[in-house]
Amino acid sequence: MTEHPTSHEPRQAAPPAASSATPHAGPPEPAPYAAAADPRGLPGQSSAGGPAEVTDMSAAAPRGDDSSACAADGGRADAGAGRPRPRPEESPGVPPPAAPHGVPVETGARGGAAGRAPEQAGGPGTPPARSAHPAQPAESVELLAARQAGGDRLRFIGAATRRIARGIDLDEIVLGLCRATVPTFADAILVYLRDPLPVGDERPTGPVVLRLRRTDRIPEEPDTNGGRLPMLPAQPDLSPAMGGSAAELSEVLPGGPLAEVLRGVRPLFGEVQAARAALPELLGPLTHLPAGHRVILAPLRGRRRVIGAAVFLRRPDRPAFEADDLLVAAQLATHTALGVDKAVLYGREAYIADALQRTMLPDSLPQPTGVRLASRYLPAAETARVGGDWYDAIPLPGSRVALVVGDVMGHSMTSAAIMGQLRTTAQTLAGLDLPPQEVLHHLDEQAQRLGSDRMATCLYAVYDPVAHRIMVANAGHPPPVMLHRGGRAEVLRVPPGAPIGVGGVDFEAVELDAPAGATLVLYTDGLVESRIRDVWTGIEQLRERLTETARLTGPNPPPLEPLCDEVLDMLGPGDRDDDIALLAARFDGIAPSDVAYWYLDPKAQTAGQARRLARRALSRWGLEELTDQLELLVSEVVTNAVRYAERPITLRLLRTDVLRCEVGDDVPQLPRLRQARPSDEGGRGLYLVNRMARRWGATRLSTGKVVWFELSMPFGGAP
């Protein structure tokens, strides 16, 4: 070390640096942490190498510390490593001493070139300094190199853990580990995870199986003599249908060497006896690994159990792993394991949310007579997959269908639960054949029973394909849009009403024409309202989009499924603030020539009269093949209605893709299918209907009930 002269004693000559420092024959080989920035944005390497101080790497111990702590430690190590900072006490004009190869020696708050105290710095009025030891300059360079290597490691750990922590799902986290370590820390990596991965507090049963989740490696250079990586397994196929090769699946034998290494948790060099016995069990017996400290086996331990392992490899022509690299591998393994636990829990929550939403919404729409249906549902975002929007189509007596769309405030699990309760209530009320305004009134009462802040909007419509009419009632919902056959789209004038849950308000229903070929579009406000547009602007854009789509198909109405896709295409980048429910209904109707309707008095002769009327209708439609079957079933159903009815009964035949017969009376009790005893005189009518009809059922009405059955049309008998 060169001492600065003071005003009390003469300047001493510094000994030659070459006499105390080891000379370099040429530029040093690049260390694993290069100074050049990695193209993937990883920390670089520096030309300085050498082991880092253990005290500097204490923060990298596998204790579950987050990446911010690593970055902060790295910043403190870097602040005093190799940055020359001039001090006011130093003599002016005296340059700081330099290490070999131009590496500047620290002269900041830690002292001069040899780490001396501030009061030892040269300058006027400074007490005489003690003579320096001849070997002190070389020790300073080694200390500086060790401190700089430790700072590089800490900066690498900080950047790598931040990259791992950015991932949300399992693939992103594992990919973040591979991209952060190759080629900065290792030349190749293999990541194994348990199959299946345990979730939360689950205790998996059966043997522990590790599956190769991902591999990564740097490309081989053609001129690397003797420095090639071993033959690693190919990139695994992650499709569930693939069984995996022997290299991709590894069963951990109880009490075996791999189980012992995983139980120990700490990373090990590949040449250690325990790792040497465990690696063939993990990688396969035919895999040849490089000798020396060029393999690290690091178990991945989550919050409660070991969930996998990571293998880091370096080529034989690269510098071997050092002792401090075990701490780096431990830190990477800890953050990766905790991230995998987080991803598994997130995946379970997303699965629960998806399952809840699928359960709340109809699996498939019915196909009632005279109407065709199509629907869409879009969540607000990938991170909020549940919401309060719903749609439904409920078949009603008389070939009618109820169309429902609603929206509960918010898009959370609570909103989805309330939506499910309201949807179930609407289905129950629809089965009672109540008018639309009565259905909304009972929904309002149900919402008030669920809580004072349970608010929702709903639109309830009933379509009658025989009368070609639709009755609509609204509870604070956006109005529907009707697309006519000629391509004209109009917003229906429906009284807005108050939202469900307000209480103490009346709802009003209106009856409108529903011509054949028209399409009714029901939707929630997420389709037409966002932060950048109000609801009425969105409704106008929806009307224009429907008109443009209908213009492309000419006089024929556009198909329903492409029409729904075209409607959703109107959404812009900033229009996904809320979840969206969409229901489109194409009204085909039933022609008057395909309907036969009669009123019959409840008399003893009514059954015979019903048989004659049914026979005439079948003869007019050219369905004589169904005469015997229809007469028998009509006689049984009409006889049961005449026995208990006090007012005239109704008989209606509908010819569509099936032949449907409906018999209505004023008795609310529904008939039940039972097995008649041999001594019983009756009780066999419904048994015959159940055996001979394609389908049958009974529905309670506000004025009584309707018993119906369907017969399959003979070949060529459809209209």
Side-chain angles (χ1 to χ4, degrees):
M1 174 179 297
T2 302
E3 294 289 335
H4 291 191
T6 64
S7 59
H8 299 282
E9 58 185 17
R11 184 191 304 264
Q12 297 179 357
S19 62
S20 59
T22 303
H24 292 269
E29 183 179 359
Y33 311 96
D38 187 79
R40 302 173 186 170
L42 300 179
Q45 300 177 353
S46 64
S47 59
E53 293 180 326
V54 178
T55 56
D56 289 342
M57 291 299 296
S58 61
R63 296 178 299 179
D65 301 336
D66 55 18
S67 60
S68 60
C70 299
D73 292 343
R76 288 195 298 269
D78 182 44
R83 295 186 179 179
R85 300 182 180 178
R87 295 176 51 85
E89 305 91 55
E90 294 177 348
S91 301
V94 180
H101 299 288
V103 178
V105 182
E106 181 183 7
T107 59
R110 297 176 181 263
R116 53 187 177 177
E119 59 270 10
Q120 291 179 321
T126 304
R130 292 172 294 179
S131 60
H133 194 275
Q136 199 166 355
E139 294 176 356
S140 302
V141 173
E142 294 176 0
L143 180 62
L144 174 61
R147 186 181 295 115
Q148 187 170 359
D152 290 341
R153 286 188 174 93
L154 288 176
R155 284 191 295 272
F156 165 71
I157 291 175
T161 52
R162 285 193 299 271
R163 185 162 195 166
I164 295 172
R166 282 198 299 264
I168 296 180
D169 59 11
L170 191 61
D171 293 332
E172 290 179 352
I173 292 173
V174 176
L175 178 61
L177 172 65
C178 296
R179 294 291 173 84
T181 55
V182 177
T184 308
F185 180 71
D187 296 331
I189 183 175
L190 297 93
V191 182
Y192 288 82
L193 296 179
R194 292 185 65 164
D195 186 24
L197 280 167
V199 181
D201 296 331
E202 290 183 357
R203 293 184 177 274
T205 59
V208 178
V209 178
L210 299 182
R211 177 183 290 273
L212 181 61
R213 187 72 186 188
R214 189 173 184 87
T215 65
D216 198 2
R217 62 188 296 171
I218 61 175
E220 295 288 353
E221 298 292 341
D223 56 349
T224 54
N225 298 324
R228 299 183 64 84
L229 290 170
M231 293 300 296
L232 300 179
Q235 188 68 25
D237 190 345
L238 303 181
S239 59
M242 301 298 295
S245 62
E248 296 178 9
L249 290 176
S250 302
E251 182 177 349
V252 181
L253 302 177
L258 181 58
E260 294 298 328
V261 171
L262 296 179
R263 188 179 297 111
V265 178
R266 294 180 302 175
L268 299 175
F269 286 124
E271 64 179 11
V272 178
Q273 178 61 32
R276 191 185 310 163
L279 283 172
E281 184 179 349
L282 179 64
L283 304 179
L286 301 180
T287 303
H288 174 69
L289 298 175
H293 290 174
R294 290 180 173 84
V295 179
I296 292 180
L297 174 59
L300 304 178
R301 179 176 178 83
R303 292 177 175 84
R304 293 175 177 86
R305 60 184 65 85
V306 175
I307 59 175
V311 181
F312 304 94
L313 301 100
R314 285 185 185 172
R315 294 196 304 250
D317 60 337
R318 292 291 303 277
F321 288 112
E322 301 177 357
D324 288 339
D325 291 330
L326 292 177
L327 300 178
V328 177
Q331 191 75 355
L332 296 175
T334 299
H335 280 269
T336 302
L338 295 178
V340 169
D341 272 352
K342 175 188 68 177
V344 171
L345 291 175
Y346 171 78
R348 172 61 61 88
E349 293 296 330
Y351 170 78
I352 293 174
D354 289 341
L356 176 62
Q357 192 69 58
R358 287 193 302 267
T359 304
M360 296 301 180
L361 296 175
D363 294 334
S364 60
L365 292 174
Q367 297 299 328
T369 303
V371 63
R372 287 174 288 170
L373 303 172
S375 63
R376 295 290 187 273
Y377 176 81
L378 293 180
E382 290 295 326
T383 56
R385 303 186 181 185
V386 293
D389 292 15
W390 91 91
Y391 60 89
D392 212 342
I394 309 168
L396 299 178
S399 300
R400 296 171 300 155
V401 59
L403 307 175
V404 191
V405 62
D407 183 6
V408 179
M409 282 195 316
H411 33 79
S412 62
M413 302 287 283
T414 303
S415 302
I418 297 173
M419 176 265 288
Q421 292 175 309
L422 293 180
R423 177 172 176 249
T424 303
T425 304
Q427 289 178 333
T428 304
L429 295 172
L432 300 177
D433 197 27
L434 297 178
Q437 65 271 21
E438 291 295 328
V439 173
L440 295 183
H441 175 72
H442 289 292
L443 284 177
D444 180 66
E445 292 180 343
Q446 176 67 13
Q448 293 180 67
R449 285 190 291 268
L450 295 176
S452 58
D453 57 343
R454 308 309 186 191
M455 305 286 292
T457 63
C458 182
L459 191 142
Y460 189 92
V462 176
Y463 170 65
D464 188 347
V466 177
H468 296 273
R469 303 282 289 177
I470 184 171
M471 184 173 290
V472 185
N474 191 5
H477 203 78
V481 179
M482 179 81 76
L483 177 62
H484 294 273
R485 190 182 186 91
R488 181 176 61 90
E490 66 169 335
V491 180
L492 298 184
R493 296 182 178 180
V494 180
I500 292 175
V502 173
V505 296
D506 293 332
F507 299 97
E508 182 181 356
V510 295
E511 189 173 2
L512 305 170
D513 289 331
T519 304
L520 184 68
V521 178
L522 308 178
Y523 53 92
T524 56
D525 58 354
L527 179 65
V528 295
E529 185 180 17
S530 66
R531 290 172 294 178
I532 61 177
R533 64 179 178 182
D534 60 274
V535 60
W536 289 108
T537 302
I539 292 175
E540 182 61 24
Q541 293 179 0
L542 172 62
R543 191 190 65 80
E544 294 175 355
R545 175 56 65 94
L546 291 174
T547 302
E548 294 173 0
T549 305
R551 188 180 297 114
L552 297 177
T553 58
N556 299 322
L560 279 183
E561 296 295 337
L563 178 64
C564 293
D565 295 335
E566 288 293 332
V567 169
L568 294 181
D569 285 343
M570 65 178 284
L571 297 173
D575 295 339
R576 293 295 305 279
D577 299 332
D578 196 1
D579 46 342
I580 298 171
L582 176 66
L583 178 63
R586 174 70 46 76
F587 299 143
D588 294 333
I590 300 177
S593 59
D594 294 330
V595 180
Y597 193 87
W598 303 279
Y599 285 95
L600 305 175
D601 293 329
K603 298 184 300 183
Q605 300 82 3
T606 302
Q609 182 183 3
R611 289 194 297 268
R612 290 191 299 270
L613 295 174
R615 184 167 54 249
R616 293 174 185 173
L618 292 182
S619 177
R620 185 172 67 251
W621 291 335
L623 300 176
E624 289 84 357
E625 300 178 22
L626 300 177
T627 300
D628 295 339
Q629 189 177 4
L630 179 63
E631 285 186 359
L632 176 59
L633 299 184
V634 165
S635 178
E636 294 294 338
V637 176
V638 170
T639 300
N640 289 337
V642 169
R643 180 178 302 179
Y644 304 103
E646 297 180 358
R647 298 178 181 178
I649 65 175
T650 60
L651 173 62
R652 184 165 72 168
L653 298 179
L654 301 174
R655 182 184 63 157
T656 57
D657 54 343
V658 296
L659 181 63
R660 182 183 178 96
C661 176
E662 300 175 352
V663 178
D665 56 57
D666 59 346
V667 181
Q669 287 78 16
L670 299 180
R672 301 298 180 188
L673 180 64
R674 64 183 181 89
Q675 186 72 34
R677 294 175 296 182
S679 59
D680 293 340
E681 295 183 0
R684 297 176 178 83
L686 288 181
Y687 179 77
L688 292 175
V689 174
N690 183 63
R691 292 297 300 269
M692 300 179 64
R694 180 174 177 265
R695 289 194 314 157
W696 78 279
T699 305
R700 182 180 287 110
L701 304 178
S702 58
T703 58
K705 69 175 180 295
V706 169
V707 180
W708 57 270
F709 62 86
E710 294 177 352
L711 298 177
S712 299
M713 300 287 286
F715 180 77

